[in-house]
Amino acid sequence: MATLFSKQNIFLILLIIMVLMAKIIPFHESYNQYFNLSAFIDWGIAGIFLLYGLKLNLKEVVKDITNWKLHLLIQSATFLIFPFLVFIFYPFIKDSEYFNIWLSIFFLASLPSTVSSSVVMVSIAKGNVTSAIFNASVSGIIGIVMTPLLMSFFMTSETSAGANGEILQQLLIKVLLPIILGIIFNPLLKKFVTKYSNIINEFDRLIILLIVYESFSTAFVQHVFSSVPSFVFLVLTFSVIFLFFAVYNITQFLAEKMKFKSQDVITATFCGSKKSLVHGSLFVLVLGIADDQKVLFLLPVMIYHSFQLFYVSWLANRIAKRQTVNVN
């Protein structure tokens, strides 16, 4: 487990390095004649979701479907409680200059749960791992519909019907079609994907790093940050940390009220409070978000990802030690 966390820490460091590289050596559009970074990322996105379909364990999904109350709570936390907590502030912010900041936080709230870290953290804390795998997998599939749907309520006024059609086309080609193909070829290629899972995980991270580099390059070239006050970063950081604790405690309260076993309470709180950097990075590119706004939408996701990784890993180890003491 120590090795896993060191890898995650290295990935966070690499994210920071990508931002610094974008500042020092930004990728200009003219560089595409030598290497088409945007096209490579587009194919990479499709590849990630193809591999996601190939990795999906359909037998585990079917086997755990009977634990429906737990699944309902986790998915409700992910796609209902999260967005609702942000939506509460919409009436106060909708006509202000800070609407895009609010929308970037709502984008975070609309994302599906992360897969790998949810399962790992639940495992460390001795929770219900099978249900964690089920919900992490299902969350990504639900997110294909729910994330664009939730965002469409606040983005339709800024996009034309033609643009909306293009966004739908991008979602079908880059997200849905690769997942369907992955599920179809799952029986044939499952062993191959399992064998090389470590390399595949590195490919996921590579595409995320490139998306961050490209987005921040555009921001630095177009001087986006010069127009963003420093307090915006403080607001984003405070907002996403507050959001985490609010959802975590609400989910824990509901799980205990529903009289879940301690294992299921752990799974509900850990899976229900997670958000996926992978999906966040990909949806920034396929939802028709303007180039000069992409960084603003990526920032809350990156801040949340870093916080959830460090805090929940500490929390998982703390819960595991507490359970060991209770058993002894």
Side-chain angles (χ1 to χ4, degrees), residues 62-95:
V62 172
K63 188 169 72 174
D64 198 57
I65 204 165
T66 53
N67 200 358
W68 64 271
K69 287 184 180 178
L70 174 60
H71 308 327
L72 183 62
L73 177 59
I74 292 172
Q75 299 309 321
S76 296
T78 304
F79 295 111
L80 295 178
I81 296 173
F82 251 112
F84 177 74
L85 288 173
V86 181
F87 177 74
I88 290 170
F89 297 94
Y90 176 69
F92 308 103
I93 210 86
K94 62 178 180 178
D95 296 320

Side-chain angles (χ1 to χ4, degrees), residues 34-311:
Y34 307 108
F35 176 72
N36 195 327
L37 181 60
S38 297
F40 183 82
I41 289 172
D42 283 346
W43 283 103
I45 292 169
I48 285 175
F49 282 105
L50 174 67
L51 292 166
Y52 184 79
L54 290 170
K55 289 188 288 184
L56 197 62
N57 192 327
L58 296 176
K59 288 182 180 177
E60 288 289 340
V61 169
V62 172
K63 188 169 72 174
D64 198 57
I65 204 165
T66 53
N67 200 358
W68 64 271
K69 287 184 180 178
L70 174 60
H71 308 327
L72 183 62
L73 177 59
I74 292 172
Q75 299 309 321
S76 296
T78 304
F79 295 111
L80 295 178
I81 296 173
F82 251 112
F84 177 74
L85 288 173
V86 181
F87 177 74
I88 290 170
F89 297 94
Y90 176 69
F92 308 103
I93 210 86
K94 62 178 180 178
D95 296 320
S96 76
E97 59 185 305
Y98 304 114
F99 173 74
N100 282 335
I101 297 172
W102 174 88
L103 189 59
S104 70
I105 299 169
F106 187 80
F107 171 69
L108 165 70
S110 304
L111 292 173
S113 175
T114 184
V115 179
S116 56
S117 62
S118 286
V119 176
V120 170
M121 301 305 179
V122 168
S123 176
I124 293 170
K126 306 185 189 306
N128 186 334
V129 177
T130 303
S131 290
I133 294 169
F134 174 90
N135 280 281
S137 302
V138 169
S139 181
I141 296 171
I142 295 173
I144 295 170
V145 176
M146 284 299 294
T147 302
L149 177 65
L150 288 166
M151 291 299 291
S152 70
F153 291 117
F154 305 101
M155 293 185 70
T156 46
S157 60
E158 299 176 17
T159 56
S160 65
N164 286 331
E166 187 179 341
I167 292 167
L168 180 60
Q169 185 182 36
Q170 292 292 313
L171 285 169
L172 290 172
I173 294 172
K174 294 180 183 177
V175 180
L176 192 59
L177 180 61
I179 284 184
I180 291 171
L181 289 173
I183 291 171
I184 290 170
F185 290 104
N186 185 291
L188 294 174
L189 299 174
K190 183 66 190 262
K191 288 183 180 178
F192 174 83
V193 171
T194 303
K195 183 178 179 181
Y196 295 101
S197 60
N198 289 334
I199 297 173
I200 288 167
N201 289 336
E202 296 306 320
F203 175 74
D204 287 4
R205 293 187 179 98
L206 170 64
I207 297 301
I208 294 168
L209 290 171
L210 290 177
I211 290 170
V212 169
Y213 173 64
E214 184 190 43
S215 299
F216 275 84
S217 289
T218 303
F220 285 122
V221 168
Q222 296 180 0
H223 305 289
V224 171
F225 288 109
S226 60
S227 62
V228 178
S230 56
F231 86 93
V232 168
F233 298 99
L234 294 175
V235 169
L236 289 175
T237 302
F238 173 80
S239 299
V240 300
I241 292 174
F242 170 80
L243 197 55
F244 170 84
F245 283 112
V247 174
Y248 185 93
N249 285 294
I250 289 170
T251 308
Q252 185 177 47
F253 173 78
L254 292 173
E256 289 171 352
K257 281 292 180 183
M258 294 168 76
K259 297 181 179 177
F260 285 176
K261 295 181 292 185
S262 61
Q263 282 188 325
D264 287 348
V265 172
I266 291 168
T267 304
T269 51
F270 279 29
C271 292
S273 62
K274 288 289 181 66
K275 288 295 178 180
S276 171
L277 176 62
V278 174
H279 288 83
S281 302
L282 303 183
F283 276 123
V284 159
L285 298 184
V286 298
L287 285 179
I289 295 167
D291 287 343
D292 62 348
Q293 293 292 318
K294 284 177 182 175
V295 168
L296 183 62
F297 281 77
L298 272 176
L299 276 173
V301 186
M302 290 173 65
I303 294 168
Y304 194 93
H305 175 80
S306 305
F307 177 77
Q308 73 180 7
L309 194 63
F310 288 123
Y311 178 78

